[in-house]
Amino acid sequence: MHATWTTIGLLTLSNVFMTFAWYAHLKELGGKPWIIAALISWGVAFFEYLLQVPANRIGYTVMSLGQLKILQEVITLTVFVPFAVFYMKEPLKLDYLWAGLCMLGAVYFMFRDKIGA
């Protein structure tokens, strides 16, 4: 269970970095040339990879590749929604809820062998 929680923690932190790398430049660097935004985003993404690579290596000791991917997608949505609402000032929509429910279905199908055990 330790490997699972370590994976979840590292993937959550890595997703915070990646969300900022992918989207914060839209707010912060909107008037700058895209190459500036890309270079800054690559710098931020470097820290994401320092967390994501060990997370996947640790997680792969206790989960399948498909389970790791679905876990990462759930964490991505969990990080993205607060980022979109609070940082980017996007409206909170029911679509986030529906997407989350679809992700719960994906989690069920990918982890049902562990749930039943």
Side-chain angles (χ1 to χ4, degrees):
M1 193 56 114
H2 175 69
T4 301
W5 286 110
T6 300
T7 300
I8 291 169
L10 289 170
L11 284 176
T12 301
L13 291 172
S14 76
N15 267 276
V16 170
F17 280 102
M18 201 58 178
T19 300
F20 274 88
W22 281 15
Y23 302 109
H25 64 86
L26 298 172
K27 178 179 180 181
E28 302 300 332
L29 302 171
K32 302 284 186 201
W34 73 266
I35 191 71
I36 301 292
L39 292 172
I40 291 171
S41 292
W42 286 343
V44 173
F46 171 76
F47 295 101
E48 185 267 345
Y49 277 94
L50 290 177
L51 297 166
Q52 178 266 337
V53 170
N56 283 330
R57 292 177 69 91
I58 293 166
Y60 194 60
T61 66
V62 293
M63 289 178 248
S64 71
L65 187 61
Q67 290 170 333
L68 271 172
K69 182 58 181 170
I70 291 301
L71 177 62
Q72 188 270 330
E73 293 299 335
V74 169
I75 291 170
T76 296
L77 189 60
T78 303
V79 169
F80 177 78
V81 172
F83 172 85
V85 171
F86 296 114
Y87 185 78
M88 296 295 287
K89 307 294 187 212
E90 295 280 328
L92 181 61
K93 297 180 181 179
L94 275 177
D95 291 343
Y96 293 131
L97 173 64
W98 307 137
L101 290 174
C102 289
M103 294 300 293
L104 283 177
V107 167
Y108 169 75
F109 286 112
M110 292 307 295
F111 286 90
R112 65 182 163 174
D113 63 325
K114 291 186 186 268
I115 294 169

